Amino acid sequence: MANQQFPPQQQDPPGLTEPMEPRPDHGEESYVGHDRLAGCSALITGGDSGIGRAVALAFAREGADVAFTYLPEEQTDAEATTELITSTGRRAVPIVADLRDRTTCDHAVGVAVERLGKLDILVNNAGYQQARSGEGIEAVDDERLDRVIKTNLYALFWVTRAAVPELKRHRGCVINNSSIQAYEPSTTLVDYAATKAAINNATVNLAAELGPHGIRVNAVAPGPIWTPLQPATQAPEKVESFGANTPLGRAGQPAEVAPAFVFLASPKDASYVSGTVLGVTGGKPVF
Ligand code: NAD
Ligand code: MG
């Protein structure tokens, strides 16, 4: 098949790393830290796999202790990420949490702060899409709409709201995971794309509100990245050619996205960077 990149494969959501062919690259063999986040404490939602796992590993190799949330179905991925973090000598705090519930969001932030002793970096990374059910608005049933908007937007507001008092104490930062879908929406992802555009809007607004407290708020907008989300939510024929329509002609790996998060998290390198969205898209425009 033309443009084939990946063997056809499907999983049930939320998807796991182990069955993926090929296995994603989270930077295990390649990421070299330079103490950019020495002494920092981070919470990453959905840090068990994909981009979140690569960010967790990079943050730990940069000297940060890392708490991360994951879903109950993702226990094996959470264990693998915990092992990656602790192998750097940093502390890992895995927190099982379905963030579609406000009290669970409050609890997750509370556990992270208590176990890490403080929080200076919040990464709102957890996300969900469902492209398999068909094209367009008529494929968006209420269950799907609820899951997409609760995971991508409600959780971001709830987790951020719970973390802000602690972030104010440490003049910390927030990094949201947006998407190329905010700029170039697919008809199969009408609900998901709308949440990502809203995340960009909230990023700018929160940067304005929290800047006077010394808190920087930014987002990363990834293009097509090879993570469990794809085989778990896209049709098999989409998986096969995933990423081939980018100027660079391929999907990216989680390891290629993590350095953007490290840059935005770094209190030194990004000290004057706030309210921006950094594209990591393989060449697709983010304006
Ligand atoms: P992934 O499946 O590895 O990570 C997503 C994580 O979200 C899961 O591991 C899961 O723990 C978490 N999650 C989902 N529903 C949740 C819920 N209800 N409560 C708590 N956590 C929940 O896939 P990924 O691609 O690394 O996704 C990470 C982020 O990157 C998402 O926000 C996604 O929208 C964004 N993104 C991904 C791509 C891509 O092509 N993979 C492109 C642009 C943006
Ligand atoms: Mg996962």
Side-chain angles (χ1 to χ4, degrees), residues 197-208:
I199 287 171
N200 283 356
N201 183 284
T203 298
V204 173
N205 206 337
L206 288 168

Side-chain angles (χ1 to χ4, degrees), residues 48-49 51 74 98-99 125 177-178 192 196 223 225 227 230:
D48 56 288
S49 60
I51 296 167
E74 299 174 314
D98 187 330
L99 301 174
N125 167 74
N177 205 334
S178 177
Y192 172 87
K196 294 301 183 177
I225 308 299
T227 70
Q230 301 307 332

Side-chain angles (χ1 to χ4, degrees), residues 16 45 47 54 60 74-75 103 105 109 132-134 136 153 161 211 213 226 249 258 260 269 272:
L16 292 171
T45 63
E74 299 174 314
Q75 186 63 37
T103 55
C105 291
V109 172
R132 223 181 262 161
S133 46
L153 275 183
R161 188 176 70 191
H213 297 278
W226 185 234
D269 296 340
Y272 201 57

